[in-house]
Amino acid sequence: MASERDQNQAKRPRLRRDGFPTIATMRPRLRRDGFSTIATDQKEDQQNQDYISLLPDDILLTIISKLTIRDAAVTTAISKRWAPLFNILPSLKITAATFNPTPNEYYVNRYRIKWIDALCSVLRSRKTALKKFHIAIHILKPYADHFYDVFASICAAGVENLSISNTNVDCYYWIPSPVFDCNTIVKLEITKCWLEVPLKLTGLRSVKSLVLREVIVADDEFKRMISQCKAIEKLVIIDCLRIKNIVIRAPRLSELVITFECPVRVVLKSAPRLVSVAILFDNSYDLWKNSGYDDEESDGEFSEGTNEAKNLMAFLNGLRRVKDLHLNFFNEYRKILSKDVMTLPTRLSPECYLVELKKLCICIPFNYNTFNMVISCLLNSSPNLMEIIICVKTNFYSYNKPHALELNFWEKQLAAECVKHHLTTATFCLDDYLSEDCFIFPKFLLRNAANLKNMNIFCDRNLKNIPNIAEKIKNELSAIHIASPDVEIMVEPIISRYRDIRTEFLISK
């Protein structure tokens, strides 16, 4: 009996601690040539293994989120592993083509009703709350109530990232009240809508990023909305209507972008953490003025009695802690500012100095005294400036060429001490029009900036049309008395980095 027991134990495979037999004790199957098939079977198992389904839910949800709603819904039929994922997607992106074979079918009434029903069906099937909801759709007034219910359910469920874009060019969509009552929204983006901010605003306390693009909002409503956003860190305002006085009280605001087709008054009442600011006044002010928006309904026309120089100084006085400043002014703004140019001071008051400013980017028309006064005021008030970028624009459609600068203009307006100790990089992006006046300011910096390391001059077509022009410019700049022995002067054709410098901050934001 003992011998039979030993034989049976010998036949049994040795077990590991987890109870599974070891590969060494398993009897291998042999092929006809006598070799084992274990390696072959393992390769086949590896090839048939669905490794994607083994990924955690977070990664699978990220993959499905990149798909359209139609394709994402199809994933429920792949396997039991994928079936519940669609109903717990953290984000949804809705467009006119989401529930229709073609976007044009959305504009047919019967298809629009089906589209809204399909959207409501998707939202009702949700197992968890949406974190991100983006909708870009042609919203019509007869169906506004349906969208009211949609936004009410999404906000009540605790959405954190909400983007509403109305693609209807004929009318604006009124943002429903549930959006203003929601306190879970962290990122809010609104395009081509009408904002009627409640007098007793109870929501929007968690908003950290706010983007308003082509919205209609009155001054007092905007002020009330921004004051309620206690946690706001990023604010972007692009081509809004009925607004001409932007008053900001935001203790946590760190990034501000404002672009308008006409000049507006910007006052920073309280923004102690603001470090990055970009302001653009577009070149279509004349078109805007004649486009019909300057009626009583728009309430957004530029007031002829406004002192734009005082408005600019009031704005600059609130930038004490800013480290990165972009100013983009077109020729039409120069015409407005030139009426009060004599009231521009040579520097800000000492308590309003831009002591934290490290980088200054200015895009202006070529060589007008109005903007040269602005540049001198900024440099005189920025004792720690390290980098300056000046992008010069030429107006080919204007027959009024700028006058030549008076002799020693920069020496009279600009104190040498402001650029002597800290300025290390100066970049000039010049348009097609080149003249001697283009290099007066670069020469001033070379003579006075003792710590200057890089002087970059990028020109457009002229460098290609005139032989050896780059070398001639470089030799001319190198021939003057240079304060910094380590400065490197570079003159090259314009490159992509600076070609669109006038609007780079708008695209990136």
Side-chain angles (χ1 to χ4, degrees):
M1 295 293 294
S3 61
E4 292 181 1
R5 189 184 309 152
D6 296 339
Q7 291 177 0
N8 292 334
Q9 291 179 355
K11 294 179 180 179
R12 293 179 183 176
R14 287 179 295 174
L15 300 180
R16 299 183 303 185
R17 293 181 179 179
D18 54 7
F20 291 93
T22 60
I23 296 179
T25 60
M26 295 177 62
R27 180 178 293 178
R29 291 179 298 167
L30 299 179
R31 298 185 306 188
R32 293 181 180 180
D33 54 5
F35 291 97
S36 172
T37 62
I38 292 179
T40 305
D41 293 343
Q42 290 178 348
K43 286 184 178 180
E44 292 178 357
D45 293 340
Q46 291 177 357
Q47 292 177 354
N48 296 330
Q49 183 68 47
D50 184 6
Y51 289 102
I52 296 181
S53 297
L54 297 178
L55 294 173
D57 288 353
D58 294 341
I59 297 179
L60 293 179
L61 291 173
T62 303
I63 295 174
I64 300 177
S65 299
K66 303 297 182 181
L67 305 176
T68 62
I69 299 297
R70 285 173 169 268
D71 294 336
V74 173
T75 60
T76 58
I78 295 178
S79 65
K80 293 182 179 180
R81 173 73 177 88
W82 290 75
L85 296 178
F86 176 72
N87 293 329
I88 61 173
L89 276 176
S91 63
L92 289 179
K93 185 176 182 180
I94 308 298
T95 63
T98 299
F99 304 110
N100 293 322
T102 60
N104 293 333
E105 289 188 0
Y106 172 82
Y107 301 100
V108 182
N109 287 333
R110 64 171 187 226
Y111 288 116
R112 189 180 295 113
I113 296 297
K114 292 181 179 180
W115 187 97
I116 295 175
D117 291 341
L119 174 59
C120 295
S121 177
V122 170
L123 295 178
R124 284 194 299 267
S125 64
R126 299 280 310 169
K127 302 299 182 182
T128 59
L130 271 175
K131 298 298 182 182
K132 180 179 180 181
F133 184 73
H134 173 86
I135 182 169
I137 199 67
H138 191 93
I139 302 177
L140 297 177
K141 290 184 178 180
Y143 305 93
D145 293 340
H146 298 280
F147 287 101
Y148 180 96
D149 297 336
V150 169
F151 292 123
S153 62
I154 291 174
C155 293
V159 67
E160 297 180 1
N161 190 333
L162 179 59
S163 175
I164 305 174
S165 179
N166 177 27
T167 59
N168 189 347
V169 297
D170 297 325
C171 63
Y172 287 78
Y173 173 66
W174 292 73
I175 294 297
S177 58
V179 175
F180 296 108
D181 297 334
C182 183
N183 277 315
T184 61
I185 300 177
V186 177
K187 184 177 181 180
L188 179 61
E189 182 173 348
I190 302 175
T191 301
K192 206 169 180 59
C193 295
W194 198 305
L195 301 184
E196 188 174 0
V197 183
L199 292 176
K200 295 182 179 181
L201 185 59
T202 59
L204 304 181
R205 296 178 180 178
S206 301
V207 173
K208 294 184 178 180
S209 175
L210 177 61
V211 179
L212 303 177
R213 185 181 290 108
E214 297 183 50
V215 303
I216 298 179
V217 58
D219 290 343
D220 55 343
E221 293 178 332
F222 174 82
K223 181 180 179 180
R224 186 162 60 250
M225 183 178 181
I226 297 301
S227 299
Q228 181 66 14
C229 299
K230 303 295 184 180
I232 191 169
E233 299 176 357
K234 177 180 179 180
L235 177 60
V236 180
I237 310 171
I238 300 177
D239 295 337
C240 295
L241 301 177
R242 294 192 65 191
I243 186 170
K244 51 186 178 181
N245 292 291
I246 299 178
V247 181
I248 298 176
R249 294 181 182 271
R252 297 186 180 182
L253 185 65
S254 61
E255 184 177 352
L256 175 64
V257 177
I258 298 177
T259 170
F260 277 82
E261 294 182 350
C262 60
V264 294
R265 183 171 179 263
V266 182
V267 180
L268 300 172
K269 289 292 187 179
S270 176
R273 299 186 182 182
L274 189 61
V275 296
S276 177
V277 176
I279 303 293
L280 182 147
F281 292 148
D282 207 343
N283 62 341
S284 53
Y285 168 69
D286 292 334
L287 297 176
W288 173 88
K289 189 174 182 181
N290 298 323
S291 63
Y293 286 119
D294 55 344
D295 55 8
E296 294 181 358
E297 294 296 329
S298 67
D299 192 26
E301 74 276 7
F302 177 76
S303 176
E304 295 296 336
T306 302
N307 189 318
E308 192 57 31
K310 290 184 178 180
N311 291 343
L312 180 60
M313 291 300 105
F315 164 69
L316 295 178
N317 286 335
L319 304 180
R320 182 173 175 81
R321 299 299 178 185
V322 170
K323 297 182 179 180
D324 191 350
L325 178 60
H326 291 248
L327 300 177
N328 194 337
F329 297 143
F330 282 80
N331 194 45
E332 283 71 19
Y333 180 73
R334 176 195 63 82
K335 297 175 183 178
I336 300 172
L337 187 61
S338 61
K339 298 178 182 179
D340 309 301
V341 66
M342 300 308 297
T343 62
L344 283 174
T346 57
R347 63 182 68 228
L348 302 175
S349 57
E351 63 273 12
C352 297
Y353 272 13
L354 311 182
V355 293
E356 299 288 340
L357 188 62
K358 303 297 182 183
K359 180 180 179 180
L360 174 62
C361 178
I362 306 179
C363 301
I364 54 175
F366 169 68
N367 200 24
Y368 284 98
N369 284 340
T370 302
F371 289 125
N372 290 336
M373 294 285 291
V374 175
I375 294 176
S376 61
C377 177
L378 285 170
L379 292 182
N380 284 328
S381 308
S382 306
N384 300 315
L385 185 66
M386 298 181 65
E387 180 180 3
I388 183 172
I389 301 174
I390 297 181
C391 182
V392 176
K393 304 186 291 284
T394 303
N395 187 0
F396 295 100
Y397 304 101
S398 175
Y399 294 96
N400 298 323
K401 297 300 180 182
H403 299 288
L405 281 178
E406 62 177 298
L407 187 64
N408 299 328
F409 172 85
W410 293 107
E411 285 76 5
K412 296 178 181 178
Q413 296 292 332
L414 196 58
E417 289 76 11
C418 68
V419 298
K420 183 176 182 180
H421 302 291
H422 299 283
L423 189 66
T424 59
T425 303
T427 300
F428 295 87
C429 180
L430 306 178
D431 238 337
D432 292 341
Y433 180 68
L434 285 178
S435 71
E436 180 64 26
D437 290 342
C438 293
F439 305 103
I440 293 180
F441 189 48
K443 291 179 179 179
F444 171 82
L445 294 181
L446 287 173
R447 285 194 296 264
N448 294 279
N451 289 325
L452 191 64
K453 304 298 181 184
N454 298 286
M455 170 70 72
N456 306 314
I457 297 180
F458 298 100
C459 305
D460 208 347
R461 304 186 187 124
N462 284 340
L463 285 181
K464 298 181 180 179
N465 299 334
I466 304 177
N468 302 324
I469 184 63
E471 185 177 354
K472 292 179 181 178
I473 295 175
K474 187 174 182 179
N475 292 337
E476 180 181 352
L477 295 177
S478 302
I480 66 175
H481 175 72
I482 298 177
S484 175
D486 301 327
V487 64
E488 180 179 353
I489 302 175
M490 181 178 64
V491 182
E492 291 184 357
I494 199 168
I495 58 177
S496 58
R497 178 184 176 188
Y498 296 102
R499 183 178 297 277
D500 298 325
I501 198 171
R502 291 185 285 264
T503 56
E504 64 171 358
F505 58 90
L506 297 178
I507 302 300
S508 60
K509 307 300 181 186

